[in-house]
Amino acid sequence: MPSTDETVELRLNAQLLPLLAEADLLDSPAAWGTATTAAGAFRLEPVRLERDLELLTRWMNDPEVAAYWELGGPDAVTAAHLRAQLDGDGRSIPCLGLLDGTPMSYWEIYRADLDPLSRHYPARPHDTGIHLLVGDGTNRGRGLGTALLRAVADLVFDNRPRCTRVIAEPDIRNTPSVTAFLNSGFRCPAEIDLPEKRAALMIRERALRNLL
């Protein structure tokens, strides 16, 4: 039977495992800091289910969001989607996007090279993927998505030195999203067929970050 010290050590290890997994796989988005944008100070904050579920469920039931995320319905639907990441190994981290301290967007930062997506494009080690939605309709359609995409890509490059590319795969039908990616320095070298959609493969290269 383990001693008291061993029991405490085991408990601490169990508590630290999720943090260690996050640090190894995604270098802790919680510690990436704040990006300055024309719209204000922006930062990512990892989702806490008990705090954020009501807000995220409301966003997922917005018709414009539900059309592409397909997570409309009761909070159990959103909770299941979040728990799959929160209880996972740290390769995908759901985050709120805060603008001047106010939650206004949802982001998933994930290891694209370890994701099923990697079967559909020539992945490189440490490719970092992003999914996003702007939760409040009043923030859509005025160029904010472009500013935030550039800010998040820059946060990835500044905090993940092993990552040379940021990857995204918006639905090809989602013209505003595709346009925002193109306007924020991403290229679209191909369209790809994924199980749930035809997507525009979006890539932002570290080497071109100051040129595009």
Side-chain angles (χ1 to χ4, degrees), residues 16-90:
L16 287 172
L17 276 175
L19 298 177
L20 291 172
E22 178 181 321
D24 181 54
L25 289 168
L26 282 168
D27 309 309
S28 301
W32 286 1
T34 300
T36 301
T37 77
F42 181 81
R43 64 184 176 88
L44 294 171
E45 182 172 308
V47 164
R48 287 178 14 210
L49 198 61
E50 69 281 1
R51 179 194 64 191
D52 303 323
L53 180 58
E54 181 180 353
L55 175 64
L56 290 172
T57 299
R58 185 166 71 249
W59 287 352
M60 291 300 181
N61 279 281
D62 180 303
E64 290 187 40
V65 172
Y68 297 105
W69 283 75
E70 299 181 347
L71 289 172
D75 59 8
V77 175
T78 301
H81 179 78
L82 294 170
R83 284 198 184 97
Q85 298 172 81
L86 295 170
D87 296 341
D89 61 4

Side-chain angles (χ1 to χ4, degrees), residues 9-199:
E9 184 178 353
L10 287 171
R11 188 181 300 119
L12 286 174
N13 286 342
Q15 292 170 345
L16 287 172
L17 276 175
L19 298 177
L20 291 172
E22 178 181 321
D24 181 54
L25 289 168
L26 282 168
D27 309 309
S28 301
W32 286 1
T34 300
T36 301
T37 77
F42 181 81
R43 64 184 176 88
L44 294 171
E45 182 172 308
V47 164
R48 287 178 14 210
L49 198 61
E50 69 281 1
R51 179 194 64 191
D52 303 323
L53 180 58
E54 181 180 353
L55 175 64
L56 290 172
T57 299
R58 185 166 71 249
W59 287 352
M60 291 300 181
N61 279 281
D62 180 303
E64 290 187 40
V65 172
Y68 297 105
W69 283 75
E70 299 181 347
L71 289 172
D75 59 8
V77 175
T78 301
H81 179 78
L82 294 170
R83 284 198 184 97
Q85 298 172 81
L86 295 170
D87 296 341
D89 61 4
R91 69 182 62 191
S92 180
I93 300 178
C95 298
L96 288 179
L98 278 65
L99 189 62
D100 289 335
T102 300
M104 48 71 64
S105 53
Y106 170 70
W107 301 73
E108 292 173 354
I109 311 298
Y110 67 99
R111 280 286 297 270
D113 59 323
L114 302 179
D115 188 81
L117 174 65
S118 64
R119 303 173 195 146
H120 300 274
Y121 83 103
R124 297 179 189 169
H126 299 286
D127 276 355
T128 302
I130 54 176
H131 298 138
L132 79 150
L133 66 87
V134 176
D136 186 346
T138 62
N139 287 318
R140 300 180 198 139
R142 54 189 186 91
L144 186 56
T146 295
L148 298 186
L149 282 168
R150 183 176 290 275
V152 170
D154 285 340
L155 284 172
V156 171
F157 289 140
D158 289 343
N159 291 280
R160 301 204 68 236
R162 294 170 291 180
C163 171
T164 61
R165 304 189 303 179
V166 178
I167 308 295
E169 22 76 30
D171 192 304
I172 197 67
R173 299 168 300 165
N174 192 346
T175 303
S177 180
V178 171
T179 300
F181 276 103
L182 293 173
N183 288 342
S184 58
F186 285 76
R187 300 176 300 109
C188 180
E191 295 180 9
I192 54 178
D193 288 312
L194 302 179
E196 70 281 5
K197 65 186 178 184
R198 184 164 180 80

